[in-house]
Amino acid sequence: MTHVTALDGFVPTPDRQREFRNVLGCFGTGVTVVTCMTDRGPMGITANSFSAVSLEPPLVLWCPAHSSHRFKAFASARHYAIQVLAQGQKDLGLAFAKDGFSFDHCAWEQNEWGVPVLTETLARFECEAHALHEAGDHAIAVGRVLRAHANEGTPLLFTQGTYGSFTPFD
């Protein structure tokens, strides 16, 4: 990765998308798998664009890409779940990044809203679709959290194109 300083920055034009992605990669994120039910059965997608929005009402967001063949299913889903992956679940994240029907790689069940939920993740937010905003080549999907779960463990993190974990300072 090329080091960019305030003095030698660049304008993020379409021909410099790789460089822009490298700069974005300096911000570490958690890794999630978002799931919904479709006419073809349960579907999932790996996403690192997850954030809290509001405590009252309880809202979270994630950002699916318009270019994803799974976009339409998630954009039209009335309910979905956002699962936060634990440190040892890199392979699960990679499986759902490649194939939206990778449920044979994990334990899951269907919740009362018909959503497939992964049962062995670090955290889970079961949501009702609240809003969908257009945002360039992605959309901002805002969900109202109907139920939240947390387990013990360490989150799986993603930064600068690699997976890792968090080590607190002493």
Side-chain angles (χ1 to χ4, degrees), residues 50-54 57-62 80 82 125 127 130 140-145:
F50 169 75
S51 183
V53 175
S54 171
L59 301 175
V60 295
L61 70 77
W62 69 289
Y80 54 85
I82 302 169
F125 300 89
C127 301
H130 180 75
I140 300 168
V142 179
R144 181 183 179 98
V145 179

Side-chain angles (χ1 to χ4, degrees), residues 9-24:
F10 63 93
V11 176
T13 55
D15 62 318
R16 299 190 82 173
Q17 284 185 0
R18 171 72 327 212
E19 290 169 274
F20 186 52
R21 286 177 63 101
N22 289 345
V23 175
L24 290 170

Side-chain angles (χ1 to χ4, degrees), residues 36-57:
C36 71
M37 188 55 76
T38 71
D39 292 340
R40 292 181 54 200
M43 180 181 281
I45 190 168
T46 301
N48 67 341
S49 57
F50 169 75
S51 183
V53 175
S54 171
L55 295 176
E56 185 54 43

Side-chain angles (χ1 to χ4, degrees), residues 58-74:
L59 301 175
V60 295
L61 70 77
W62 69 289
C63 301
H66 286 288
S67 62
S68 171
H69 66 277
R70 294 173 250 181
F71 178 83
K72 190 173 184 179
F74 284 99

Side-chain angles (χ1 to χ4, degrees), residues 124-160:
R124 181 173 66 241
F125 300 89
E126 297 174 49
C127 301
E128 178 176 42
H130 180 75
L132 188 69
H133 304 284
E134 292 305 311
D137 59 2
H138 283 65
I140 300 168
V142 179
R144 181 183 179 98
V145 179
L146 303 174
R147 185 169 38 228
H149 304 263
N151 292 310
E152 295 289 322
T154 303
L156 177 64
L157 301 180
F158 184 76
T159 186
Q160 297 180 330

